[in-house]
Amino acid sequence: MKKTLVVAASLLILAAFFGVMAMTLTFGSPKMTDMDDYFLRHGQEQTGSNNECTAVVFDFRGFDTLGESTVLFCAIIGVALMFRKMQGGEEYEDE
């Protein structure tokens, strides 16, 4: 019982510590730059993408994010292979 209370108190203190740390961090500084405004105003017409994140990652920063794009592509292929339909004669490997 005493050990459980010590563990629970430790977890509570740890959660409070991380909560205070998260609340004191400043996100989004500076709030808006000229580049952000440019992407939002011209992103769709220049890239044809309806998603601004996709436009920035694959069009505006395509060469910079080539490695990230490769990882995303490999992950998509991996998931597609995991959920593909088995053909009539195929069996599962774990059976």
Side-chain angles (χ1 to χ4, degrees), residues 27-33 36:
F27 294 103
S29 179
K31 292 191 185 263
M32 187 97 172
T33 63
D36 298 336

Side-chain angles (χ1 to χ4, degrees), residues 38-78:
Y38 178 81
F39 287 144
L40 291 174
R41 291 189 187 276
H42 304 287
Q44 186 177 19
E45 70 182 56
Q46 289 184 354
T47 64
S49 174
N50 290 328
N51 187 331
E52 289 300 319
C53 293
T54 303
V56 169
V57 169
F58 291 108
D59 291 315
F60 289 115
R61 298 187 62 214
F63 189 71
D64 292 342
T65 58
L66 184 62
E68 298 168 13
S69 303
T70 303
V71 170
L72 285 172
F73 185 71
C74 290
I76 290 169
I77 288 176

